[in-house]
Amino acid sequence: MSRMADASNVEDAGRARKLDNKAYMKELARLHVELVQLQEWTKASGAKICVIFEGRDGAGKGGTIKAITERVSPRVFRVVALPAPTEREKSQMYIQRYLPYLPAAGEIMLFDRSWYNRAGVERVMGFCTDEQVQEFLRVVPLVERAIIHSGVILLKYWLEVSPEEQTRRLEARIKDERKIWKLSPMDIESYRRWYDYSRARDDMFAMTDTEFAPWHVVISNDKKRARLNLISHLLSQIPYEPVRREAIQLPSRQKAKSYQEPAYPYKYVPEKF
């Protein structure tokens, strides 16, 4: 892959008119139907699907994952968002803590950040050595090849946002009590180190954007467009097809016979609304 477009090009790519909500919801509803079909095919076929979401803070990873999982079963579409490693996990082979979360038959695992933490936040924030980063970048294509050879469909997405739009979104989080939990001291420091992250991203792409496990870049200055584009692309990468189902008809409800509602003092929730 060629070197990632610079910040000005990303800004230019995101200047198209914002997608209005009505058009967004209409297309998202159509894609939700397709995601349900993907879900049923995955269960029926025993497919194993792993989707990685990476990108800068505020790029829209969490919102995209929510859009994907809104209308599907959490028993099939499973979100993996691991916390910081424990002391025990720090002593393990680096990728070991992620391996238990790879999909089994009939599962779609969505990684909200992944083993690529080593190439990004751990590198930039000094949580690992340069030697560990280089070893990771050298080895991870081999690991991903082994994952794919085991029958897993592996998709990797990088969500890219311009500096201006990232600033706007993070400032909005500061002002919104519903979103303040999304801003940690680490996020603030990451914001300051924009170009350190750019260099880390460039090196990561150069070493891990392989023919068998490529990075797919999504310009996310318009969150709605980014979600629709990513979901459409994801669906296009998987050879699913509708699963034939028997028509469903509700049966007649049984007769009450001798049953009577009890005179029980239920503790009802107050109806404030």
PDB file of all heavy atoms in Angstrom, residues 10-40:
ATOM      1  N   VAL A  10      -6.965  13.977   3.784  1.00  0.00           N
ATOM      2  CA  VAL A  10      -8.058  13.367   4.531  1.00  0.00           C
ATOM      3  C   VAL A  10      -9.168  14.377   4.758  1.00  0.00           C
ATOM      4  O   VAL A  10     -10.354  14.076   4.634  1.00  0.00           O
ATOM      5  CB  VAL A  10      -7.549  12.810   5.881  1.00  0.00           C
ATOM      6  CG1 VAL A  10      -8.719  12.330   6.728  1.00  0.00           C
ATOM      7  CG2 VAL A  10      -6.567  11.682   5.652  1.00  0.00           C
ATOM      8  N   GLU A  11      -8.778  15.603   5.067  1.00  0.00           N
ATOM      9  CA  GLU A  11      -9.772  16.659   5.266  1.00  0.00           C
ATOM     10  C   GLU A  11     -10.544  16.903   3.968  1.00  0.00           C
ATOM     11  O   GLU A  11     -11.761  17.036   3.969  1.00  0.00           O
ATOM     12  CB  GLU A  11      -9.084  17.946   5.719  1.00  0.00           C
ATOM     13  CG  GLU A  11     -10.049  19.112   5.966  1.00  0.00           C
ATOM     14  CD  GLU A  11     -10.958  18.885   7.154  1.00  0.00           C
ATOM     15  OE1 GLU A  11     -10.644  18.023   7.996  1.00  0.00           O
ATOM     16  OE2 GLU A  11     -11.993  19.563   7.228  1.00  0.00           O
ATOM     17  N   ASP A  12      -9.837  16.945   2.826  1.00  0.00           N
ATOM     18  CA  ASP A  12     -10.498  17.151   1.541  1.00  0.00           C
ATOM     19  C   ASP A  12     -11.485  16.030   1.255  1.00  0.00           C
ATOM     20  O   ASP A  12     -12.582  16.266   0.753  1.00  0.00           O
ATOM     21  CB  ASP A  12      -9.469  17.217   0.418  1.00  0.00           C
ATOM     22  CG  ASP A  12      -8.626  18.489   0.489  1.00  0.00           C
ATOM     23  OD1 ASP A  12      -9.077  19.442   1.149  1.00  0.00           O
ATOM     24  OD2 ASP A  12      -7.531  18.506  -0.098  1.00  0.00           O
ATOM     25  N   ALA A  13     -11.080  14.794   1.581  1.00  0.00           N
ATOM     26  CA  ALA A  13     -11.945  13.651   1.301  1.00  0.00           C
ATOM     27  C   ALA A  13     -13.201  13.678   2.142  1.00  0.00           C
ATOM     28  O   ALA A  13     -14.195  13.043   1.805  1.00  0.00           O
ATOM     29  CB  ALA A  13     -11.174  12.344   1.557  1.00  0.00           C
ATOM     30  N   GLY A  14     -13.165  14.394   3.267  1.00  0.00           N
ATOM     31  CA  GLY A  14     -14.319  14.409   4.154  1.00  0.00           C
ATOM     32  C   GLY A  14     -15.190  15.637   4.032  1.00  0.00           C
ATOM     33  O   GLY A  14     -16.065  15.856   4.853  1.00  0.00           O
ATOM     34  N   ARG A  15     -14.951  16.458   2.994  1.00  0.00           N
ATOM     35  CA  ARG A  15     -15.679  17.713   2.876  1.00  0.00           C
ATOM     36  C   ARG A  15     -16.999  17.584   2.125  1.00  0.00           C
ATOM     37  O   ARG A  15     -17.684  18.572   1.924  1.00  0.00           O
ATOM     38  CB  ARG A  15     -14.803  18.762   2.195  1.00  0.00           C
ATOM     39  CG  ARG A  15     -13.798  19.384   3.161  1.00  0.00           C
ATOM     40  CD  ARG A  15     -13.076  20.565   2.544  1.00  0.00           C
ATOM     41  NE  ARG A  15     -12.139  21.130   3.496  1.00  0.00           N
ATOM     42  CZ  ARG A  15     -10.901  21.472   3.206  1.00  0.00           C
ATOM     43  NH1 ARG A  15     -10.427  21.263   2.000  1.00  0.00           N
ATOM     44  NH2 ARG A  15     -10.111  21.996   4.117  1.00  0.00           N
ATOM     45  N   ALA A  16     -17.323  16.387   1.657  1.00  0.00           N
ATOM     46  CA  ALA A  16     -18.599  16.205   0.982  1.00  0.00           C
ATOM     47  C   ALA A  16     -19.733  16.550   1.944  1.00  0.00           C
ATOM     48  O   ALA A  16     -19.586  16.464   3.159  1.00  0.00           O
ATOM     49  CB  ALA A  16     -18.735  14.763   0.500  1.00  0.00           C
ATOM     50  N   ARG A  17     -20.852  16.957   1.373  1.00  0.00           N
ATOM     51  CA  ARG A  17     -21.995  17.330   2.197  1.00  0.00           C
ATOM     52  C   ARG A  17     -22.352  16.193   3.144  1.00  0.00           C
ATOM     53  O   ARG A  17     -22.400  15.033   2.747  1.00  0.00           O
ATOM     54  CB  ARG A  17     -23.179  17.670   1.287  1.00  0.00           C
ATOM     55  CG  ARG A  17     -24.423  18.119   2.022  1.00  0.00           C
ATOM     56  CD  ARG A  17     -25.486  18.552   1.019  1.00  0.00           C
ATOM     57  NE  ARG A  17     -25.833  17.463   0.128  1.00  0.00           N
ATOM     58  CZ  ARG A  17     -26.752  16.521   0.429  1.00  0.00           C
ATOM     59  NH1 ARG A  17     -27.359  16.528   1.602  1.00  0.00           N
ATOM     60  NH2 ARG A  17     -27.024  15.572  -0.440  1.00  0.00           N
ATOM     61  N   LYS A  18     -22.609  16.535   4.393  1.00  0.00           N
ATOM     62  CA  LYS A  18     -22.959  15.531   5.388  1.00  0.00           C
ATOM     63  C   LYS A  18     -24.219  14.785   4.963  1.00  0.00           C
ATOM     64  O   LYS A  18     -25.160  15.376   4.434  1.00  0.00           O
ATOM     65  CB  LYS A  18     -23.196  16.186   6.752  1.00  0.00           C
ATOM     66  CG  LYS A  18     -21.967  16.861   7.352  1.00  0.00           C
ATOM     67  CD  LYS A  18     -20.970  15.849   7.870  1.00  0.00           C
ATOM     68  CE  LYS A  18     -19.823  16.543   8.596  1.00  0.00           C
ATOM     69  NZ  LYS A  18     -18.841  15.591   9.141  1.00  0.00           N
ATOM     70  N   LEU A  19     -24.221  13.492   5.183  1.00  0.00           N
ATOM     71  CA  LEU A  19     -25.377  12.666   4.844  1.00  0.00           C
ATOM     72  C   LEU A  19     -26.514  12.967   5.806  1.00  0.00           C
ATOM     73  O   LEU A  19     -26.327  12.930   7.020  1.00  0.00           O
ATOM     74  CB  LEU A  19     -24.981  11.190   4.922  1.00  0.00           C
ATOM     75  CG  LEU A  19     -26.023  10.174   4.469  1.00  0.00           C
ATOM     76  CD1 LEU A  19     -26.290  10.328   2.968  1.00  0.00           C
ATOM     77  CD2 LEU A  19     -25.517   8.764   4.764  1.00  0.00           C
ATOM     78  N   ASP A  20     -27.695  13.260   5.273  1.00  0.00           N
ATOM     79  CA  ASP A  20     -28.809  13.595   6.166  1.00  0.00           C
ATOM     80  C   ASP A  20     -29.313  12.334   6.853  1.00  0.00           C
ATOM     81  O   ASP A  20     -29.156  11.215   6.346  1.00  0.00           O
ATOM     82  CB  ASP A  20     -29.940  14.301   5.417  1.00  0.00           C
ATOM     83  CG  ASP A  20     -30.691  13.367   4.491  1.00  0.00           C
ATOM     84  OD1 ASP A  20     -31.583  12.656   4.968  1.00  0.00           O
ATOM     85  OD2 ASP A  20     -30.379  13.332   3.283  1.00  0.00           O
ATOM     86  N   ASN A  21     -29.932  12.520   8.005  1.00  0.00           N
ATOM     87  CA  ASN A  21     -30.288  11.394   8.869  1.00  0.00           C
ATOM     88  C   ASN A  21     -31.322  10.476   8.232  1.00  0.00           C
ATOM     89  O   ASN A  21     -31.283   9.253   8.417  1.00  0.00           O
ATOM     90  CB  ASN A  21     -30.809  11.910  10.212  1.00  0.00           C
ATOM     91  CG  ASN A  21     -30.822  10.822  11.264  1.00  0.00           C
ATOM     92  OD1 ASN A  21     -29.782  10.244  11.577  1.00  0.00           O
ATOM     93  ND2 ASN A  21     -31.989  10.511  11.805  1.00  0.00           N
ATOM     94  N   LYS A  22     -32.264  11.035   7.486  1.00  0.00           N
ATOM     95  CA  LYS A  22     -33.303  10.205   6.860  1.00  0.00           C
ATOM     96  C   LYS A  22     -32.689   9.221   5.870  1.00  0.00           C
ATOM     97  O   LYS A  22     -33.014   8.028   5.873  1.00  0.00           O
ATOM     98  CB  LYS A  22     -34.335  11.096   6.166  1.00  0.00           C
ATOM     99  CG  LYS A  22     -35.491  10.312   5.560  1.00  0.00           C
ATOM    100  CD  LYS A  22     -36.528  11.257   4.948  1.00  0.00           C
ATOM    101  CE  LYS A  22     -37.692  10.466   4.350  1.00  0.00           C
ATOM    102  NZ  LYS A  22     -38.706  11.383   3.745  1.00  0.00           N
ATOM    103  N   ALA A  23     -31.798   9.720   5.017  1.00  0.00           N
ATOM    104  CA  ALA A  23     -31.134   8.853   4.048  1.00  0.00           C
ATOM    105  C   ALA A  23     -30.258   7.819   4.753  1.00  0.00           C
ATOM    106  O   ALA A  23     -30.187   6.655   4.339  1.00  0.00           O
ATOM    107  CB  ALA A  23     -30.296   9.690   3.086  1.00  0.00           C
ATOM    108  N   TYR A  24     -29.596   8.263   5.813  1.00  0.00           N
ATOM    109  CA  TYR A  24     -28.740   7.355   6.584  1.00  0.00           C
ATOM    110  C   TYR A  24     -29.543   6.212   7.186  1.00  0.00           C
ATOM    111  O   TYR A  24     -29.181   5.040   7.053  1.00  0.00           O
ATOM    112  CB  TYR A  24     -28.030   8.143   7.678  1.00  0.00           C
ATOM    113  CG  TYR A  24     -27.354   7.287   8.723  1.00  0.00           C
ATOM    114  CD1 TYR A  24     -26.219   6.537   8.423  1.00  0.00           C
ATOM    115  CD2 TYR A  24     -27.845   7.237  10.036  1.00  0.00           C
ATOM    116  CE1 TYR A  24     -25.593   5.760   9.383  1.00  0.00           C
ATOM    117  CE2 TYR A  24     -27.229   6.468  11.001  1.00  0.00           C
ATOM    118  CZ  TYR A  24     -26.099   5.723  10.678  1.00  0.00           C
ATOM    119  OH  TYR A  24     -25.497   4.952  11.639  1.00  0.00           O
ATOM    120  N   MET A  25     -30.648   6.537   7.845  1.00  0.00           N
ATOM    121  CA  MET A  25     -31.443   5.510   8.511  1.00  0.00           C
ATOM    122  C   MET A  25     -32.061   4.532   7.512  1.00  0.00           C
ATOM    123  O   MET A  25     -32.176   3.336   7.781  1.00  0.00           O
ATOM    124  CB  MET A  25     -32.542   6.167   9.348  1.00  0.00           C
ATOM    125  CG  MET A  25     -32.020   6.982  10.522  1.00  0.00           C
ATOM    126  SD  MET A  25     -30.967   6.030  11.653  1.00  0.00           S
ATOM    127  CE  MET A  25     -32.142   4.841  12.304  1.00  0.00           C
ATOM    128  N   LYS A  26     -32.452   5.040   6.348  1.00  0.00           N
ATOM    129  CA  LYS A  26     -33.023   4.167   5.321  1.00  0.00           C
ATOM    130  C   LYS A  26     -31.999   3.151   4.842  1.00  0.00           C
ATOM    131  O   LYS A  26     -32.287   1.954   4.740  1.00  0.00           O
ATOM    132  CB  LYS A  26     -33.532   5.010   4.151  1.00  0.00           C
ATOM    133  CG  LYS A  26     -34.158   4.179   3.032  1.00  0.00           C
ATOM    134  CD  LYS A  26     -34.672   5.069   1.911  1.00  0.00           C
ATOM    135  CE  LYS A  26     -35.283   4.227   0.800  1.00  0.00           C
ATOM    136  NZ  LYS A  26     -35.798   5.084  -0.314  1.00  0.00           N
ATOM    137  N   GLU A  27     -30.792   3.618   4.538  1.00  0.00           N
ATOM    138  CA  GLU A  27     -29.760   2.715   4.055  1.00  0.00           C
ATOM    139  C   GLU A  27     -29.275   1.789   5.167  1.00  0.00           C
ATOM    140  O   GLU A  27     -28.994   0.606   4.918  1.00  0.00           O
ATOM    141  CB  GLU A  27     -28.585   3.518   3.482  1.00  0.00           C
ATOM    142  CG  GLU A  27     -27.462   2.666   2.900  1.00  0.00           C
ATOM    143  CD  GLU A  27     -27.905   1.795   1.734  1.00  0.00           C
ATOM    144  OE1 GLU A  27     -28.986   2.049   1.160  1.00  0.00           O
ATOM    145  OE2 GLU A  27     -27.161   0.849   1.400  1.00  0.00           O
ATOM    146  N   LEU A  28     -29.185   2.303   6.392  1.00  0.00           N
ATOM    147  CA  LEU A  28     -28.760   1.460   7.505  1.00  0.00           C
ATOM    148  C   LEU A  28     -29.760   0.335   7.744  1.00  0.00           C
ATOM    149  O   LEU A  28     -29.365  -0.803   8.038  1.00  0.00           O
ATOM    150  CB  LEU A  28     -28.590   2.297   8.770  1.00  0.00           C
ATOM    151  CG  LEU A  28     -28.052   1.564   9.995  1.00  0.00           C
ATOM    152  CD1 LEU A  28     -26.669   0.975   9.728  1.00  0.00           C
ATOM    153  CD2 LEU A  28     -27.998   2.495  11.201  1.00  0.00           C
ATOM    154  N   ALA A  29     -31.043   0.626   7.612  1.00  0.00           N
ATOM    155  CA  ALA A  29     -32.064  -0.415   7.785  1.00  0.00           C
ATOM    156  C   ALA A  29     -31.881  -1.522   6.745  1.00  0.00           C
ATOM    157  O   ALA A  29     -32.015  -2.715   7.053  1.00  0.00           O
ATOM    158  CB  ALA A  29     -33.458   0.199   7.679  1.00  0.00           C
ATOM    159  N   ARG A  30     -31.581  -1.128   5.506  1.00  0.00           N
ATOM    160  CA  ARG A  30     -31.342  -2.130   4.469  1.00  0.00           C
ATOM    161  C   ARG A  30     -30.112  -2.980   4.799  1.00  0.00           C
ATOM    162  O   ARG A  30     -30.126  -4.212   4.653  1.00  0.00           O
ATOM    163  CB  ARG A  30     -31.145  -1.444   3.114  1.00  0.00           C
ATOM    164  CG  ARG A  30     -31.022  -2.417   1.949  1.00  0.00           C
ATOM    165  CD  ARG A  30     -30.634  -1.712   0.669  1.00  0.00           C
ATOM    166  NE  ARG A  30     -29.252  -1.242   0.717  1.00  0.00           N
ATOM    167  CZ  ARG A  30     -28.200  -2.034   0.492  1.00  0.00           C
ATOM    168  NH1 ARG A  30     -28.368  -3.329   0.226  1.00  0.00           N
ATOM    169  NH2 ARG A  30     -26.975  -1.542   0.537  1.00  0.00           N
ATOM    170  N   LEU A  31     -29.057  -2.325   5.271  1.00  0.00           N
ATOM    171  CA  LEU A  31     -27.844  -3.056   5.626  1.00  0.00           C
ATOM    172  C   LEU A  31     -28.055  -3.959   6.836  1.00  0.00           C
ATOM    173  O   LEU A  31     -27.441  -5.028   6.936  1.00  0.00           O
ATOM    174  CB  LEU A  31     -26.701  -2.072   5.879  1.00  0.00           C
ATOM    175  CG  LEU A  31     -26.193  -1.319   4.651  1.00  0.00           C
ATOM    176  CD1 LEU A  31     -25.169  -0.268   5.044  1.00  0.00           C
ATOM    177  CD2 LEU A  31     -25.595  -2.279   3.623  1.00  0.00           C
ATOM    178  N   HIS A  32     -28.920  -3.541   7.758  1.00  0.00           N
ATOM    179  CA  HIS A  32     -29.228  -4.399   8.905  1.00  0.00           C
ATOM    180  C   HIS A  32     -29.861  -5.704   8.451  1.00  0.00           C
ATOM    181  O   HIS A  32     -29.592  -6.776   9.028  1.00  0.00           O
ATOM    182  CB  HIS A  32     -30.162  -3.662   9.873  1.00  0.00           C
ATOM    183  CG  HIS A  32     -29.453  -2.700  10.764  1.00  0.00           C
ATOM    184  ND1 HIS A  32     -30.070  -1.630  11.360  1.00  0.00           N
ATOM    185  CD2 HIS A  32     -28.159  -2.647  11.191  1.00  0.00           C
ATOM    186  CE1 HIS A  32     -29.194  -0.960  12.097  1.00  0.00           C
ATOM    187  NE2 HIS A  32     -28.037  -1.557  12.003  1.00  0.00           N
ATOM    188  N   VAL A  33     -30.705  -5.648   7.440  1.00  0.00           N
ATOM    189  CA  VAL A  33     -31.288  -6.875   6.893  1.00  0.00           C
ATOM    190  C   VAL A  33     -30.187  -7.783   6.364  1.00  0.00           C
ATOM    191  O   VAL A  33     -30.183  -8.996   6.606  1.00  0.00           O
ATOM    192  CB  VAL A  33     -32.311  -6.553   5.787  1.00  0.00           C
ATOM    193  CG1 VAL A  33     -32.789  -7.837   5.100  1.00  0.00           C
ATOM    194  CG2 VAL A  33     -33.502  -5.794   6.363  1.00  0.00           C
ATOM    195  N   GLU A  34     -29.218  -7.186   5.657  1.00  0.00           N
ATOM    196  CA  GLU A  34     -28.105  -7.970   5.130  1.00  0.00           C
ATOM    197  C   GLU A  34     -27.254  -8.553   6.256  1.00  0.00           C
ATOM    198  O   GLU A  34     -26.774  -9.693   6.162  1.00  0.00           O
ATOM    199  CB  GLU A  34     -27.242  -7.097   4.210  1.00  0.00           C
ATOM    200  CG  GLU A  34     -27.932  -6.647   2.942  1.00  0.00           C
ATOM    201  CD  GLU A  34     -28.260  -7.802   2.020  1.00  0.00           C
ATOM    202  OE1 GLU A  34     -27.431  -8.737   1.901  1.00  0.00           O
ATOM    203  OE2 GLU A  34     -29.340  -7.783   1.409  1.00  0.00           O
ATOM    204  N   LEU A  35     -27.057  -7.793   7.316  1.00  0.00           N
ATOM    205  CA  LEU A  35     -26.274  -8.292   8.453  1.00  0.00           C
ATOM    206  C   LEU A  35     -26.976  -9.472   9.128  1.00  0.00           C
ATOM    207  O   LEU A  35     -26.317 -10.418   9.582  1.00  0.00           O
ATOM    208  CB  LEU A  35     -26.025  -7.171   9.454  1.00  0.00           C
ATOM    209  CG  LEU A  35     -24.990  -6.117   9.022  1.00  0.00           C
ATOM    210  CD1 LEU A  35     -25.037  -4.907   9.947  1.00  0.00           C
ATOM    211  CD2 LEU A  35     -23.577  -6.706   8.994  1.00  0.00           C
ATOM    212  N   VAL A  36     -28.291  -9.428   9.201  1.00  0.00           N
ATOM    213  CA  VAL A  36     -29.038 -10.569   9.749  1.00  0.00           C
ATOM    214  C   VAL A  36     -28.869 -11.782   8.841  1.00  0.00           C
ATOM    215  O   VAL A  36     -28.696 -12.916   9.315  1.00  0.00           O
ATOM    216  CB  VAL A  36     -30.520 -10.209   9.940  1.00  0.00           C
ATOM    217  CG1 VAL A  36     -31.335 -11.462  10.272  1.00  0.00           C
ATOM    218  CG2 VAL A  36     -30.685  -9.179  11.046  1.00  0.00           C
ATOM    219  N   GLN A  37     -28.892 -11.569   7.526  1.00  0.00           N
ATOM    220  CA  GLN A  37     -28.663 -12.680   6.609  1.00  0.00           C
ATOM    221  C   GLN A  37     -27.259 -13.244   6.773  1.00  0.00           C
ATOM    222  O   GLN A  37     -27.061 -14.469   6.745  1.00  0.00           O
ATOM    223  CB  GLN A  37     -28.894 -12.226   5.170  1.00  0.00           C
ATOM    224  CG  GLN A  37     -30.347 -11.911   4.856  1.00  0.00           C
ATOM    225  CD  GLN A  37     -30.559 -11.497   3.414  1.00  0.00           C
ATOM    226  OE1 GLN A  37     -29.606 -11.404   2.635  1.00  0.00           O
ATOM    227  NE2 GLN A  37     -31.809 -11.232   3.052  1.00  0.00           N
ATOM    228  N   LEU A  38     -26.282 -12.354   6.969  1.00  0.00           N
ATOM    229  CA  LEU A  38     -24.912 -12.803   7.238  1.00  0.00           C
ATOM    230  C   LEU A  38     -24.874 -13.625   8.522  1.00  0.00           C
ATOM    231  O   LEU A  38     -24.207 -14.666   8.582  1.00  0.00           O
ATOM    232  CB  LEU A  38     -23.984 -11.599   7.346  1.00  0.00           C
ATOM    233  CG  LEU A  38     -22.567 -11.863   7.863  1.00  0.00           C
ATOM    234  CD1 LEU A  38     -21.826 -12.821   6.945  1.00  0.00           C
ATOM    235  CD2 LEU A  38     -21.793 -10.564   8.026  1.00  0.00           C
ATOM    236  N   GLN A  39     -25.577 -13.162   9.530  1.00  0.00           N
ATOM    237  CA  GLN A  39     -25.620 -13.869  10.809  1.00  0.00           C
ATOM    238  C   GLN A  39     -26.171 -15.282  10.637  1.00  0.00           C
ATOM    239  O   GLN A  39     -25.585 -16.268  11.129  1.00  0.00           O
ATOM    240  CB  GLN A  39     -26.499 -13.089  11.778  1.00  0.00           C
ATOM    241  CG  GLN A  39     -26.862 -13.832  13.051  1.00  0.00           C
ATOM    242  CD  GLN A  39     -27.814 -13.018  13.902  1.00  0.00           C
ATOM    243  OE1 GLN A  39     -27.409 -12.069  14.549  1.00  0.00           O
ATOM    244  NE2 GLN A  39     -29.089 -13.383  13.902  1.00  0.00           N
ATOM    245  N   GLU A  40     -27.299 -15.409   9.936  1.00  0.00           N
ATOM    246  CA  GLU A  40     -27.926 -16.723   9.766  1.00  0.00           C
ATOM    247  C   GLU A  40     -27.054 -17.638   8.919  1.00  0.00           C
ATOM    248  O   GLU A  40     -26.960 -18.842   9.185  1.00  0.00           O
ATOM    249  CB  GLU A  40     -29.308 -16.548   9.148  1.00  0.00           C
ATOM    250  CG  GLU A  40     -30.276 -15.751  10.019  1.00  0.00           C
ATOM    251  CD  GLU A  40     -30.409 -16.325  11.418  1.00  0.00           C
ATOM    252  OE1 GLU A  40     -30.876 -17.465  11.547  1.00  0.00           O
ATOM    253  OE2 GLU A  40     -30.015 -15.635  12.390  1.00  0.00           O
TER     254      GLU A  40
END
